[in-house]
Amino acid sequence: IIASFLLIVTSNDVIDIILNFAAVNFISNLDEAAFDLAKWGKYGPALEREAKNIEEKPIPYCIYRKHQHKRYLFTVIPIAILLISAVVSATVWQESDKFWITQTVRVQFDESTGLERYSGCFNIDPTVTHNKRKIYNSFHENAEKGVFGYCKEKRQWILFKNEGDTSLIHPCNVARDNQLAHSDTTDYFDIYTAADTSWFSASGTPLDMYFFESEDNGVDLQKTCGSFLNNGKCDLFFNTLGNYYDGGDCCASTCNHANCGRGDGIGIFGSNEIQGISFHYCVDPSLVPMTIFLNKVSSSRDPDVVDVTTVQLEDFYFTHGVDFWTETPVGAFFNVDCDGANILSVYIDDSMEKRPETIFVEDGAHCEVSVSNITDTNNDWDNTPIWWVNYTIFHGNDTVNEIISGFSGHQDMISFQRIPDCYFKTLIDYINISTAYTTQTHFTDALFWLINDDSDYSRCNDPFLIERFALSSIYFAAPALPASVALLSDTTELEISEHSEENVWISTDHQCRWENIVCNNGSVESLTVRYKDLDGTISTSIGLLTEVNRLEYEECGLVGTIPSEFGLLSKLTLLNIDSNELTGTVPTELGYLANMIEFDLDFNKLTGTLPTEFGQMAMLMDLDIRGNKLSGPIPSEIFNLAQMTMLRLDDNMFSGTISSEIGSMEELQGFLLAN
């Protein structure tokens, strides 16, 4: 009986009830049919005998019911009362406006539908019923008024304009011009069940809309009916990923209304000032943090800046009744814009000193901080004082990694770019976040060049970004003459002067298309820079070109030392860095290049000895180090290189004897040791 009751209350319609009872009846008759088959011998003689024996046995006395009719009465009557009560209760609840019916429904239309202004809550009207279904009127704060009602003839829930007394308008009789949307055909009594069906515009095109989930027949939605998606105000109820963080209202970079960021109820810089613009509730993970710290807030009445006489001070006190030096300054307007969006605006006073404020921006955003520093454009000595602000911008949500600092007393505006986090992750071994903004090196020059490169070849997800970074670092370590590539502190951009383009060998094209680069399967295998007027050294990032097999820097005016990172280029077969101004010693790591065939360091200013490790370059055929200042004995290991055909050591300062091992160099065709 209980099972039958549950089958009834959980069935969606009459057809389901009939099918469920048919299934129950089939199962209940199944055991009787099985007993009959056993009695007929269908399961073998053993089961046949047992079935007949059970049928002929008398009922045991212990289960014999003496007052069987009374037992039936005691069983049937309570169950009947229970079932009748359940039916009556179900009927009452079905007709009630409080049970088993949605009280409030909330819908959201996409902007593309043209019905976004009808988004919001719709509350049940208990006084109006059509076809045993209630209507739902829009919440009074909704931008546009609408009504949900059910039309039995069309078997559809219809949304139409509310232009009068809704009790007098039947959903089936709504004029076509007033129809806004309708559901797919459905016979359900509750509107919330229509959320599972498709919805269409009045013209029949599919609509992009959705219903908000509810756990209490919509009662829980009533608390937030005064909040709306994408209206310029951040509503915490919608500040979730599923609601696109209130349609973007909670973050400056995604909010596109005139009232974005106003009055979120939290003081800026920890003060009681809540009249500015801020986005404290921004939690969009696609945005990244920066922290502003107010180091010092001081009056513009600075004796070191303002030059006044004793007479002027006395006149000022007589006129204004206050001491010139202690007059309370007015607030300085502090404004932060990033990528055209207003991130933060507030008037600064001394109560905010030593306090941080975290903002969220697009990764890689170009930002501008402006702080008012005068109260009168005439700039007279007795102008109303203003607070001067000394501040620092930090990368992240703490005050560790400085981006830039400013002092409004000296400069009312600064600009900078936030380095995207992905570059720090990809180039973690080469770029230090703690000095990336504050210290200019050829590595940081290369980094900002990559960031400001609009091509897709400098993006973090490019599989050859490391090589592109290495090549750009190599260039900025020895840029074209004159120093035509400079990092501009006010724009953090790189510009290349026109008059030195013949010496510039990098561009926004893919690196494999650069004139001095040869690639294989996307990786650099040859770098040839010849006869360029360059100014600088060889970058240690040369060691990142692990696939290169040919490298030439011939007659380019390079200075400095030879990086030991050359020893990482295990596939190198030719190295030619002749006719430069290189100094220092020859790194021993070069001797580990086992595939080297031709090695030229001639006509530089190298000193020290020739490393004995050169004897390990078993494939070496041509060694040219003439025209340097190398000294000491010639390592005997050099004469064990059986493949050597040309050995040029002249114009150096070698001493000692020549090893007899030279006699084993059968392939040697030339050996120069003059001067």
Side-chain angles (χ1 to χ4, degrees):
I1 295 175
I2 296 176
S4 300
F5 176 74
L6 293 175
L7 285 174
I8 294 173
V9 298
T10 58
S11 298
N12 292 325
D13 48 40
V14 176
I15 296 177
D16 284 350
I17 294 175
I18 295 174
L19 292 176
N20 287 335
F21 273 97
V24 171
N25 184 62
F26 174 79
I27 294 172
S28 63
N29 291 330
L30 187 61
D31 56 345
E32 295 183 10
F35 185 80
D36 289 338
L37 290 174
K39 188 172 60 175
W40 297 338
K42 298 298 183 180
Y43 301 132
L47 286 178
E48 180 183 0
R49 289 193 300 271
E50 190 63 28
K52 291 180 178 180
N53 183 36
I54 292 173
E55 186 179 38
E56 294 173 356
K57 273 188 176 182
I59 298 176
Y61 182 77
C62 61
I63 64 174
Y64 178 74
R65 295 176 179 175
K66 182 177 181 181
H67 304 290
Q68 188 171 1
H69 63 288
K70 293 182 180 180
R71 293 177 179 268
Y72 282 138
L73 291 176
F74 288 138
T75 302
V76 172
I77 291 176
I79 293 176
I81 294 174
L82 179 62
L83 289 176
I84 293 173
S85 300
V87 171
V88 172
S89 299
T91 303
V92 172
W93 291 345
Q94 186 72 40
E95 296 296 326
S96 172
D97 296 332
K98 301 295 183 181
F99 301 97
W100 294 355
I101 188 170
T102 298
Q103 301 297 307
T104 300
V105 63
R106 179 160 197 152
V107 298
Q108 183 68 36
F109 293 94
D110 189 78
E111 292 183 6
S112 61
T113 64
L115 301 175
E116 186 183 14
R117 291 179 61 81
Y118 288 92
S119 299
C121 291
F122 289 78
N123 297 322
I124 191 171
D125 185 346
T127 65
V128 182
T129 303
H130 297 295
N131 307 121
K132 296 184 178 182
R133 296 167 178 84
K134 304 296 182 180
I135 67 169
Y136 292 81
N137 293 316
S138 57
F139 189 64
H140 66 276
E141 291 189 21
N142 290 10
E144 296 288 349
K145 308 305 179 186
V147 182
F148 277 105
Y150 183 79
C151 176
K152 187 175 182 180
E153 296 176 6
K154 298 179 180 179
R155 298 171 59 204
Q156 295 172 341
W157 283 94
I158 298 175
L159 173 63
F160 55 92
K161 298 178 182 178
N162 185 350
E163 295 185 342
D165 189 351
T166 56
S167 64
L168 302 177
I169 303 175
H170 195 285
C172 294
N173 299 329
V174 175
R176 183 175 179 82
D177 291 342
N178 288 338
Q179 291 186 23
L180 301 171
H182 63 83
S183 70
D184 202 353
T185 56
T186 177
D187 295 310
Y188 293 139
F189 280 82
D190 188 57
I191 187 175
Y192 195 74
T193 58
D196 296 329
T197 67
S198 300
W199 280 78
F200 305 89
S201 67
S203 60
T205 57
L207 281 180
D208 190 2
M209 64 173 288
Y210 63 91
F211 287 75
F212 282 75
E213 293 184 358
S214 172
E215 298 179 355
D216 189 21
N217 290 331
V219 175
D220 53 329
L221 298 176
Q222 296 174 359
K223 301 176 182 178
T224 60
C225 285
S227 302
F228 296 91
L229 277 170
N230 194 23
N231 65 345
K233 179 182 178 182
C234 180
D235 295 298
L236 299 184
F237 174 74
F238 296 117
N239 194 17
T240 61
L241 175 61
N243 292 312
Y244 303 104
Y245 305 102
D246 197 7
D249 288 343
C250 294
C251 299
S253 300
T254 53
C255 187
N256 53 13
H257 296 272
N259 59 329
C260 292
R262 298 185 183 275
D264 63 6
I266 296 181
I268 303 173
F269 287 108
S271 71
N272 295 324
E273 176 61 64
I274 61 174
Q275 301 304 314
I277 294 176
S278 63
F279 296 84
H280 288 98
Y281 299 116
C282 181
V283 293
D284 187 342
S286 67
L287 302 179
V288 292
M290 292 193 302
T291 299
I292 306 170
F293 188 80
L294 304 183
N295 304 306
K296 186 176 182 180
V297 180
S298 57
S299 173
S300 60
R301 294 277 172 85
D302 186 346
D304 295 332
V305 177
V306 182
D307 186 16
V308 293
T309 66
T310 303
V311 174
Q312 287 175 321
L313 292 176
E314 292 175 351
D315 289 343
F316 184 88
Y317 183 81
F318 179 79
T319 304
H320 297 87
V322 295
D323 181 71
F324 177 81
W325 298 114
T326 60
E327 184 180 5
T328 302
V330 299
F333 184 67
F334 192 98
N335 186 78
V336 181
D337 291 331
C338 294
D339 293 337
N342 187 201
I343 309 296
L344 179 73
S345 292
V346 66
Y347 282 92
I348 301 294
D349 59 41
D350 58 344
S351 68
M352 302 177 183
E353 184 175 290
K354 301 296 183 183
R355 291 181 176 177
E357 179 74 15
T358 299
I359 60 177
F360 291 86
V361 300
E362 297 281 354
D363 207 7
H366 291 81
C367 298
E368 184 179 89
V369 179
S370 58
V371 190
S372 60
N373 58 6
I374 58 174
T375 56
D376 193 321
T377 56
N378 292 329
N379 202 23
D380 294 328
W381 69 273
D382 60 347
N383 284 346
T384 303
I386 191 173
W387 291 112
W388 280 348
V389 185
N390 184 308
Y391 59 94
T392 303
I393 313 293
F394 293 91
H395 184 110
N397 54 9
D398 51 33
T399 56
V400 176
N401 300 309
E402 178 182 345
I403 296 179
I404 194 170
S405 292
F407 176 51
S408 62
H410 294 162
Q411 189 176 15
D412 63 352
M413 182 180 297
I414 60 173
S415 300
F416 62 93
Q417 181 182 10
R418 188 190 192 279
I419 300 174
D421 290 334
C422 63
Y423 285 97
F424 289 119
K425 295 177 182 177
T426 305
L427 306 174
I428 188 172
D429 294 330
Y430 324 106
I431 298 294
N432 188 340
I433 187 173
S434 63
T435 58
Y437 294 98
T438 56
T439 304
Q440 182 179 352
T441 66
H442 65 276
F443 292 119
T444 57
D445 287 352
L447 175 61
F448 278 99
W449 182 81
L450 292 174
I451 294 172
N452 289 283
D453 178 12
D454 293 331
S455 71
D456 292 333
Y457 310 124
S458 296
R459 301 193 182 279
C460 289
N461 57 359
D462 189 284
F464 301 103
L465 177 66
I466 296 294
E467 287 193 348
R468 192 172 178 88
F469 169 75
L471 292 170
S472 57
S473 298
I474 292 169
Y475 175 79
F476 286 112
L481 277 175
S484 59
V485 180
L487 181 64
L488 304 181
S489 60
D490 58 337
T491 62
T492 66
E493 293 181 354
L494 297 167
E495 65 178 23
I496 299 176
S497 59
E498 297 179 357
H499 65 274
S500 61
E501 287 183 354
E502 67 275 7
N503 291 321
V504 177
W505 53 269
I506 65 172
S507 72
T508 56
D509 292 335
H510 191 281
Q511 56 269 23
C512 291
R513 298 181 60 186
W514 296 352
E515 62 176 355
N516 57 323
I517 298 292
V518 176
C519 291
N520 183 20
N521 293 325
S523 292
V524 178
E525 67 172 14
S526 175
L527 170 61
T528 304
V529 184
R530 293 175 177 169
Y531 317 120
K532 300 284 188 181
D533 292 327
L534 305 182
D535 179 27
T537 62
I538 301 176
S539 171
T540 56
S541 62
I542 194 77
L544 300 177
L545 303 177
T546 55
E547 297 298 317
V548 72
N549 58 48
R550 183 184 182 94
L551 199 155
E552 296 187 63
Y553 251 126
E554 184 176 359
E555 201 171 329
C556 292
L558 295 173
V559 297
T561 61
I562 300 174
S564 60
E565 282 76 10
F566 270 109
L568 301 174
L569 308 181
S570 60
K571 297 183 179 181
L572 200 61
T573 60
L574 183 149
L575 177 61
N576 181 4
I577 320 180
D578 67 323
S579 303
N580 286 283
E581 301 292 326
L582 298 176
T583 57
T585 60
V586 179
T588 59
E589 288 82 359
L590 294 176
Y592 303 138
L593 301 176
N595 293 308
M596 185 67 71
I597 296 176
E598 182 178 344
F599 190 104
D600 297 333
L601 295 177
D602 50 312
F603 300 112
N604 283 283
K605 297 179 181 180
L606 300 172
T607 57
T609 61
L610 190 62
T612 59
E613 286 80 3
F614 272 37
Q616 300 180 32
M617 293 189 285
M619 304 293 293
L620 190 61
M621 299 177 64
D622 189 337
L623 175 61
D624 188 352
I625 54 174
R626 55 184 167 162
N628 284 283
K629 297 180 180 180
L630 297 174
S631 59
I634 301 174
S636 60
E637 290 83 356
I638 297 293
F639 303 110
N640 291 325
L641 299 175
Q643 304 296 323
M644 185 75 72
T645 60
M646 183 61 67
L647 180 59
R648 285 171 280 205
L649 307 178
D650 48 319
D651 290 323
N652 279 286
M653 301 170 62
F654 290 117
S655 60
T657 60
I658 297 176
S659 172
S660 61
E661 299 292 335
I662 191 174
S664 62
M665 303 177 72
E666 298 178 355
E667 302 295 328
L668 189 63
Q669 299 176 11
F671 178 34
L672 303 181
L673 194 59
N675 300 322

